[in-house]
Amino acid sequence: DTAQYYAGTWLGRRRLAPVVSPKKSVEGAAGGFAGGVAVMVIGGRSVLPELGAGWLLLWARKMTRQLDADLR
């Protein structure tokens, strides 16, 4: 959420869903997704070593569901 906030504040130009969430931007959503993936790339191996490369797919799914939940 922190990466999403700062990316949206600094780079946000295009609104993602102005009726549902007027301040949420496409750039903020992309920044949050990229920030979440970066956290898992850095720390995921130590937290979930048994998942191998599958941990990144699980995290991407989680990030997508989080954005969907924010917009509902």
Side-chain angles (χ1 to χ4, degrees):
D1 287 342
T2 303
Q4 189 172 8
Y5 171 78
Y6 284 113
T9 300
W10 294 336
L11 304 171
R13 301 281 183 263
R14 298 171 288 166
R15 299 293 167 216
L16 186 61
V19 174
V20 178
S21 183
K23 292 193 143 202
K24 192 171 297 298
S25 68
V26 173
E27 295 82 5
F33 191 84
V37 170
V39 165
M40 282 306 288
V41 166
I42 293 167
R45 287 289 204 191
S46 62
V47 176
L48 302 169
E50 67 276 1
L51 291 180
W55 57 267
L56 190 56
L57 293 174
L58 288 174
W59 191 256
R61 182 175 179 200
K62 182 250 183 237
M63 296 297 294
T64 304
R65 286 181 178 236
Q66 179 182 346
L67 180 59
D68 182 52
D70 283 349
L71 293 176
R72 287 182 187 243

